[in-house]
Amino acid sequence: MTNPINTFWTLRLADLKQALEKNNFDVFMADSVADAKKVFDEQIMPSLEGVKTVSFGGSATLMDTGIVEAVRADASLEVMDTFDKSLSNEAKYELRRQALLADLFLTGTNAVTECGKLVNLDMIGNRVAALNFGPKHVVLFISRNKLVETVDDAMFRIKDYVAPINTMRLDMKTPCKKTGQCMDCSSPQRICNIWTITEKSFPAKRIKIVLINEDAGF
């Protein structure tokens, strides 16, 4: 066998696809982050009717795909760009509120369980709010390194690894940025405020998922 690691993950992601589809998610497969963009462009976007407004939730995996840059360059779309660094904090907050009524919302997930549940932890809550209600269509980009066995494993992964890494990435003033470990802090810049567990897509297939057979994001 020339690539046992790839074969291992191909099998695991095939099982995950079945579990997610049982939970009413619409699931697509991609061999890499580059392929995820191709899947989005060629399979997902043509199937979505009436998409005029698009917004994003914070996701390193999504950024790795190059889709954000492509959407920004698409003159046919109105982009609610909550990543725009030229905006004030107040303007970003208001745009995040407006994005809850976007036609299409793009993001990732902090973890996904083997039985097909999405587990996320947010600072503000706009990402998980949009994931679960508001935008007509949601597309998640989930790399293989996000897969865990149980919800407890997902929560441990997020607190032990994802949150400290993100505080470093975002240069937040939190204890975990310095220690690399969750300190259950009360910092004004604490990013661990709102947990959500999405067990099923409602309505069915509103949430589309691209499973990526490659490590990406955190």
Side-chain angles (χ1 to χ4, degrees), residues 5-211:
I5 295 175
N6 184 71
T7 300
F8 170 86
W9 279 110
T10 298
L11 294 171
R12 293 290 297 277
L13 292 178
D15 288 342
L16 177 60
K17 182 176 186 292
Q18 290 186 358
L20 287 164
E21 288 175 341
K22 287 181 180 178
N23 289 340
N24 297 330
F25 298 100
D26 195 9
V27 185
F28 302 78
M29 305 293 280
D31 293 330
S32 64
V33 289
D35 188 41
K37 183 178 184 303
K38 184 177 180 181
V39 169
F40 176 74
D41 290 340
E42 297 181 3
Q43 298 183 49
I44 296 177
M45 277 300 285
S47 72
L48 304 181
E49 296 182 359
V51 172
K52 296 180 180 179
T53 55
V54 183
S55 194
F56 322 108
S59 166
T61 303
L62 170 62
M63 298 304 294
D64 286 346
T65 66
I67 290 170
V68 170
E69 291 84 351
V71 168
R72 284 170 172 157
D74 189 336
S76 69
L77 297 173
E78 177 188 345
V79 180
M80 299 178 181
D81 194 346
T82 58
F83 298 161
D84 186 345
K85 295 181 180 179
S86 69
L87 297 176
S88 67
N89 288 336
E90 292 78 10
K92 287 180 184 178
Y93 191 86
E94 179 58 28
L95 194 58
R96 288 175 179 130
R97 292 179 64 248
Q98 295 175 19
L100 296 179
L101 293 178
D103 297 323
L104 175 62
F105 192 84
L106 308 173
T107 190
T109 190
N110 295 137
V112 57
T113 68
E114 290 181 349
C115 63
K117 297 178 183 180
L118 310 175
V119 184
N120 286 282
L121 180 59
D122 252 22
M123 177 182 185
I124 298 172
N126 64 297
R127 179 178 65 107
V128 295
L131 165 62
N132 292 302
F133 183 77
K136 294 178 183 177
H137 308 284
V138 175
V139 182
L140 305 182
F141 298 86
I142 305 178
S143 52
R144 67 191 188 187
N145 50 308
K146 308 298 177 61
L147 179 60
V148 297
E149 185 176 355
T150 68
V151 170
D152 285 344
D153 294 329
M155 297 178 81
F156 178 80
R157 178 185 192 275
I158 293 166
K159 279 286 203 172
D160 184 64
Y161 178 71
V162 178
I165 289 286
N166 272 313
T167 61
M168 297 170 190
R169 176 177 68 90
L170 298 170
D171 195 25
M172 307 299 275
K173 294 181 175 63
T174 60
C176 65
K177 179 192 172 187
K178 297 179 180 179
T179 66
Q181 298 179 8
C182 176
M183 310 298 288
D184 194 19
C185 72
S186 297
S187 167
Q189 293 193 340
R190 174 185 168 115
I191 67 171
C192 300
N193 294 322
I194 302 166
W195 284 104
T196 63
I197 300 170
T198 309
E199 295 199 2
K200 294 182 182 292
S201 174
F202 184 85
K205 297 189 176 183
R206 171 183 171 268
I207 301 173
K208 301 183 184 302
I209 293 174
V210 181
L211 295 179

